[in-house]
Short mmCIF file of all heavy atoms in Angstrom, two decimals:
data_model
loop_
_atom_site.label_atom_id
_atom_site.label_comp_id
_atom_site.label_asym_id
_atom_site.label_seq_id
_atom_site.Cartn_x
_atom_site.Cartn_y
_atom_site.Cartn_z
N ILE R 1 91.77 154.66 224.10
CA ILE R 1 92.92 154.12 224.83
C ILE R 1 94.22 154.45 224.09
O ILE R 1 95.22 154.84 224.68
CB ILE R 1 92.79 152.59 225.02
CG1 ILE R 1 91.69 152.28 226.03
CG2 ILE R 1 94.11 151.98 225.49
CD1 ILE R 1 91.99 152.72 227.44
N GLU R 2 94.21 154.30 222.78
CA GLU R 2 95.40 154.60 221.98
C GLU R 2 95.76 156.08 222.09
O GLU R 2 96.93 156.44 222.21
CB GLU R 2 95.14 154.22 220.51
CG GLU R 2 96.34 154.43 219.60
CD GLU R 2 97.54 153.59 219.99
OE1 GLU R 2 97.33 152.52 220.59
OE2 GLU R 2 98.66 154.01 219.70
N GLU R 3 94.74 156.92 222.05
CA GLU R 3 94.98 158.36 222.18
C GLU R 3 95.56 158.68 223.55
O GLU R 3 96.48 159.49 223.70
CB GLU R 3 93.67 159.14 221.96
CG GLU R 3 93.81 160.65 222.08
CD GLU R 3 94.76 161.24 221.05
OE1 GLU R 3 94.92 160.63 219.97
OE2 GLU R 3 95.32 162.33 221.32
N LEU R 4 94.99 158.02 224.58
CA LEU R 4 95.50 158.21 225.93
C LEU R 4 96.94 157.74 226.04
O LEU R 4 97.78 158.39 226.69
CB LEU R 4 94.62 157.45 226.92
CG LEU R 4 94.96 157.62 228.42
CD1 LEU R 4 94.82 159.07 228.83
CD2 LEU R 4 94.05 156.74 229.27
N HIS R 5 97.24 156.63 225.40
CA HIS R 5 98.61 156.12 225.41
C HIS R 5 99.56 157.10 224.72
O HIS R 5 100.66 157.36 225.21
CB HIS R 5 98.65 154.76 224.71
CG HIS R 5 100.03 154.17 224.62
ND1 HIS R 5 100.71 153.70 225.72
CD2 HIS R 5 100.86 154.00 223.56
CE1 HIS R 5 101.89 153.25 225.34
NE2 HIS R 5 102.01 153.43 224.04
N LYS R 6 99.11 157.67 223.58
CA LYS R 6 99.94 158.66 222.88
C LYS R 6 100.19 159.88 223.75
O LYS R 6 101.30 160.42 223.80
CB LYS R 6 99.26 159.07 221.57
CG LYS R 6 99.27 157.98 220.50
CD LYS R 6 98.58 158.48 219.23
CE LYS R 6 98.59 157.40 218.15
NZ LYS R 6 97.88 157.86 216.93
N GLN R 7 99.10 160.32 224.45
CA GLN R 7 99.25 161.48 225.32
C GLN R 7 100.23 161.18 226.46
O GLN R 7 101.06 162.03 226.80
CB GLN R 7 97.89 161.88 225.89
CG GLN R 7 96.93 162.46 224.86
CD GLN R 7 95.57 162.76 225.46
OE1 GLN R 7 95.36 162.59 226.67
NE2 GLN R 7 94.64 163.21 224.63
N ASN R 8 100.12 159.97 227.03
CA ASN R 8 101.05 159.59 228.10
C ASN R 8 102.48 159.55 227.60
O ASN R 8 103.41 159.98 228.28
CB ASN R 8 100.66 158.23 228.68
CG ASN R 8 99.43 158.31 229.57
OD1 ASN R 8 99.06 159.39 230.00
ND2 ASN R 8 98.79 157.19 229.82
N THR R 9 102.65 159.00 226.39
CA THR R 9 103.99 158.94 225.79
C THR R 9 104.53 160.34 225.56
O THR R 9 105.70 160.63 225.85
CB THR R 9 103.94 158.17 224.46
OG1 THR R 9 103.45 156.84 224.69
CG2 THR R 9 105.33 158.09 223.84
N SER R 10 103.65 161.21 225.04
CA SER R 10 104.06 162.59 224.79
C SER R 10 104.43 163.29 226.09
O SER R 10 105.46 163.99 226.17
CB SER R 10 102.93 163.35 224.08
OG SER R 10 103.28 164.70 223.88
N LEU R 11 103.60 163.09 227.13
CA LEU R 11 103.88 163.71 228.42
C LEU R 11 105.17 163.17 229.03
O LEU R 11 105.95 163.91 229.63
CB LEU R 11 102.71 163.48 229.38
CG LEU R 11 101.42 164.25 229.07
CD1 LEU R 11 100.31 163.81 230.02
CD2 LEU R 11 101.65 165.75 229.18
N THR R 12 105.38 161.86 228.85
CA THR R 12 106.61 161.26 229.36
C THR R 12 107.83 161.84 228.66
O THR R 12 108.84 162.16 229.30
CB THR R 12 106.58 159.72 229.16
OG1 THR R 12 105.46 159.18 229.87
CG2 THR R 12 107.87 159.09 229.67
N ASN R 13 107.72 161.99 227.34
CA ASN R 13 108.83 162.59 226.58
C ASN R 13 109.07 164.03 227.01
O ASN R 13 110.23 164.46 227.16
CB ASN R 13 108.53 162.53 225.08
CG ASN R 13 108.54 161.11 224.53
OD1 ASN R 13 109.17 160.23 225.12
ND2 ASN R 13 107.86 160.87 223.43
N GLU R 14 107.97 164.77 227.20
CA GLU R 14 108.11 166.16 227.65
C GLU R 14 108.75 166.22 229.04
O GLU R 14 109.61 167.07 229.30
CB GLU R 14 106.74 166.84 227.68
CG GLU R 14 106.15 167.11 226.29
CD GLU R 14 104.79 167.77 226.37
OE1 GLU R 14 104.38 168.14 227.49
OE2 GLU R 14 104.14 167.93 225.32
N ARG R 15 108.30 165.27 229.91
CA ARG R 15 108.88 165.24 231.26
C ARG R 15 110.37 164.94 231.20
O ARG R 15 111.18 165.60 231.87
CB ARG R 15 108.16 164.18 232.09
CG ARG R 15 108.67 164.06 233.54
CD ARG R 15 108.32 162.72 234.11
NE ARG R 15 108.98 161.66 233.37
CZ ARG R 15 108.69 160.38 233.48
NH1 ARG R 15 107.73 159.99 234.30
NH2 ARG R 15 109.33 159.47 232.77
N ASP R 16 110.75 163.93 230.38
CA ASP R 16 112.16 163.57 230.27
C ASP R 16 112.97 164.73 229.69
O ASP R 16 114.10 165.00 230.13
CB ASP R 16 112.32 162.32 229.40
CG ASP R 16 111.74 161.07 230.06
OD1 ASP R 16 111.53 161.11 231.28
OD2 ASP R 16 111.47 160.09 229.34
N THR R 17 112.38 165.39 228.67
CA THR R 17 113.06 166.55 228.08
C THR R 17 113.24 167.65 229.10
O THR R 17 114.31 168.28 229.19
CB THR R 17 112.26 167.07 226.87
OG1 THR R 17 112.12 166.03 225.89
CG2 THR R 17 112.96 168.27 226.24
N LEU R 18 112.17 167.87 229.89
CA LEU R 18 112.23 168.91 230.92
C LEU R 18 113.27 168.56 231.97
O LEU R 18 114.05 169.43 232.41
CB LEU R 18 110.86 169.08 231.56
CG LEU R 18 110.74 170.17 232.64
CD1 LEU R 18 111.11 171.53 232.06
CD2 LEU R 18 109.34 170.20 233.21
N LYS R 19 113.28 167.28 232.40
CA LYS R 19 114.27 166.85 233.38
C LYS R 19 115.67 167.05 232.84
O LYS R 19 116.57 167.52 233.56
CB LYS R 19 114.04 165.38 233.76
CG LYS R 19 112.82 165.16 234.64
CD LYS R 19 112.53 163.68 234.84
CE LYS R 19 113.64 162.98 235.57
NZ LYS R 19 113.32 161.55 235.83
N HIS R 20 115.87 166.68 231.55
CA HIS R 20 117.18 166.86 230.93
C HIS R 20 117.55 168.33 230.89
O HIS R 20 118.70 168.70 231.18
CB HIS R 20 117.16 166.26 229.53
CG HIS R 20 118.48 166.32 228.81
ND1 HIS R 20 119.57 165.56 229.19
CD2 HIS R 20 118.90 167.08 227.75
CE1 HIS R 20 120.60 165.83 228.41
NE2 HIS R 20 120.21 166.75 227.54
N SER R 21 116.56 169.17 230.55
CA SER R 21 116.82 170.61 230.49
C SER R 21 117.15 171.16 231.87
O SER R 21 118.03 172.01 232.01
CB SER R 21 115.60 171.34 229.91
OG SER R 21 115.32 170.91 228.59
N LEU R 22 116.41 170.65 232.88
CA LEU R 22 116.67 171.11 234.25
C LEU R 22 118.06 170.70 234.71
O LEU R 22 118.75 171.47 235.39
CB LEU R 22 115.61 170.53 235.19
CG LEU R 22 114.20 171.13 235.06
CD1 LEU R 22 113.22 170.39 235.97
CD2 LEU R 22 114.21 172.62 235.41
N VAL R 23 118.45 169.47 234.35
CA VAL R 23 119.79 169.01 234.72
C VAL R 23 120.85 169.88 234.06
O VAL R 23 121.82 170.32 234.71
CB VAL R 23 119.99 167.53 234.32
CG1 VAL R 23 121.46 167.12 234.47
CG2 VAL R 23 119.12 166.62 235.17
N ASN R 24 120.65 170.17 232.76
CA ASN R 24 121.59 171.03 232.06
C ASN R 24 121.60 172.43 232.65
O ASN R 24 122.67 173.05 232.80
CB ASN R 24 121.24 171.10 230.57
CG ASN R 24 121.55 169.80 229.83
OD1 ASN R 24 122.38 169.01 230.30
ND2 ASN R 24 120.92 169.57 228.70
N ALA R 25 120.38 172.92 232.97
CA ALA R 25 120.29 174.26 233.55
C ALA R 25 120.99 174.30 234.91
O ALA R 25 121.67 175.28 235.24
CB ALA R 25 118.83 174.67 233.70
N ALA R 26 120.81 173.22 235.70
CA ALA R 26 121.46 173.15 237.00
C ALA R 26 122.98 173.13 236.86
O ALA R 26 123.70 173.80 237.61
CB ALA R 26 120.98 171.93 237.78
N LYS R 27 123.45 172.36 235.86
CA LYS R 27 124.90 172.31 235.62
C LYS R 27 125.42 173.68 235.21
O LYS R 27 126.47 174.13 235.67
CB LYS R 27 125.21 171.27 234.53
CG LYS R 27 125.02 169.83 234.97
CD LYS R 27 125.37 168.87 233.85
CE LYS R 27 125.20 167.41 234.30
NZ LYS R 27 125.52 166.47 233.19
N LYS R 28 124.66 174.34 234.30
CA LYS R 28 125.08 175.67 233.86
C LYS R 28 125.06 176.65 235.04
O LYS R 28 125.95 177.50 235.17
CB LYS R 28 124.16 176.16 232.75
CG LYS R 28 124.34 175.43 231.43
CD LYS R 28 123.42 175.99 230.36
CE LYS R 28 123.61 175.26 229.03
NZ LYS R 28 122.71 175.76 227.98
N ALA R 29 124.00 176.50 235.89
CA ALA R 29 123.91 177.39 237.04
C ALA R 29 125.09 177.17 237.99
O ALA R 29 125.67 178.13 238.51
CB ALA R 29 122.59 177.15 237.78
N ASP R 30 125.44 175.89 238.19
CA ASP R 30 126.60 175.59 239.05
C ASP R 30 127.89 176.16 238.47
O ASP R 30 128.72 176.72 239.19
CB ASP R 30 126.74 174.07 239.24
CG ASP R 30 125.62 173.49 240.09
OD1 ASP R 30 124.97 174.26 240.81
OD2 ASP R 30 125.41 172.26 240.02
N THR R 31 128.01 176.00 237.14
CA THR R 31 129.20 176.53 236.47
C THR R 31 129.26 178.04 236.59
O THR R 31 130.31 178.62 236.89
CB THR R 31 129.19 176.12 234.98
OG1 THR R 31 129.17 174.70 234.87
CG2 THR R 31 130.42 176.66 234.27
N LEU R 32 128.09 178.68 236.35
CA LEU R 32 128.04 180.15 236.45
C LEU R 32 128.31 180.61 237.89
O LEU R 32 129.00 181.62 238.09
CB LEU R 32 126.68 180.65 235.99
CG LEU R 32 126.41 180.58 234.48
CD1 LEU R 32 124.98 181.00 234.17
CD2 LEU R 32 127.39 181.47 233.72
N THR R 33 127.75 179.85 238.85
CA THR R 33 127.99 180.21 240.26
C THR R 33 129.47 180.14 240.59
O THR R 33 130.02 181.04 241.24
CB THR R 33 127.21 179.26 241.19
OG1 THR R 33 125.81 179.39 240.91
CG2 THR R 33 127.47 179.60 242.64
N LYS R 34 130.11 179.05 240.13
CA LYS R 34 131.55 178.91 240.38
C LYS R 34 132.33 180.02 239.68
O LYS R 34 133.27 180.60 240.24
CB LYS R 34 132.03 177.54 239.91
CG LYS R 34 133.48 177.24 240.31
CD LYS R 34 133.88 175.84 239.90
CE LYS R 34 135.28 175.51 240.39
NZ LYS R 34 136.30 176.50 239.96
N GLN R 35 131.92 180.30 238.43
CA GLN R 35 132.60 181.36 237.70
C GLN R 35 132.41 182.70 238.41
O GLN R 35 133.36 183.50 238.49
CB GLN R 35 132.06 181.44 236.26
CG GLN R 35 132.48 180.25 235.39
CD GLN R 35 131.86 180.31 234.01
OE1 GLN R 35 130.95 181.10 233.75
NE2 GLN R 35 132.34 179.47 233.11
N ASN R 36 131.18 182.92 238.90
CA ASN R 36 130.92 184.18 239.62
C ASN R 36 131.74 184.25 240.91
O ASN R 36 132.27 185.32 241.26
CB ASN R 36 129.44 184.31 239.95
CG ASN R 36 128.60 184.64 238.73
OD1 ASN R 36 129.11 185.21 237.76
ND2 ASN R 36 127.33 184.29 238.76
N GLN R 37 131.82 183.10 241.60
CA GLN R 37 132.61 183.09 242.83
C GLN R 37 134.08 183.36 242.52
O GLN R 37 134.74 184.12 243.24
CB GLN R 37 132.46 181.73 243.52
CG GLN R 37 131.08 181.51 244.12
CD GLN R 37 130.90 180.11 244.68
OE1 GLN R 37 131.71 179.20 244.37
NE2 GLN R 37 129.86 179.89 245.47
N ASP R 38 134.57 182.71 241.46
CA ASP R 38 135.97 182.95 241.06
C ASP R 38 136.16 184.41 240.67
O ASP R 38 137.18 185.04 241.01
CB ASP R 38 136.35 182.04 239.89
CG ASP R 38 136.39 180.58 240.29
OD1 ASP R 38 136.46 180.30 241.51
OD2 ASP R 38 136.33 179.71 239.39
N LEU R 39 135.15 184.94 239.92
CA LEU R 39 135.25 186.33 239.49
C LEU R 39 135.20 187.27 240.69
O LEU R 39 135.97 188.24 240.76
CB LEU R 39 134.11 186.65 238.52
CG LEU R 39 134.10 188.07 237.94
CD1 LEU R 39 135.38 188.34 237.17
CD2 LEU R 39 132.88 188.27 237.04
N ASP R 40 134.30 186.96 241.64
CA ASP R 40 134.21 187.79 242.85
C ASP R 40 135.54 187.78 243.61
O ASP R 40 135.99 188.83 244.11
CB ASP R 40 133.10 187.28 243.77
CG ASP R 40 131.71 187.59 243.22
OD1 ASP R 40 131.62 188.47 242.33
OD2 ASP R 40 130.74 186.96 243.67
#
């Protein structure tokens, strides 16, 4: 049970990290899109 709990905690942390990365990536993508539109 403890090992399962650790795995769940690890997966939760990975999920949160991934979500954070995706949010940052989305923001960067939006910024790049706007920059590209301005550049175009």
Side-chain angles (χ1 to χ4, degrees):
I1 290 293
E2 183 62 27
E3 180 62 26
L4 184 61
H5 178 70
K6 289 180 180 178
Q7 291 177 3
N8 285 343
T9 301
S10 178
L11 289 174
T12 300
N13 292 337
E14 290 180 7
R15 180 201 63 193
D16 293 342
T17 301
L18 182 59
K19 287 173 63 177
H20 183 69
S21 299
L22 288 175
V23 170
N24 288 338
K27 288 181 179 179
K28 289 181 180 179
D30 290 341
T31 301
L32 288 175
T33 299
K34 188 176 184 306
Q35 290 176 348
N36 286 335
Q37 290 174 345
D38 293 342
L39 182 59
D40 288 342

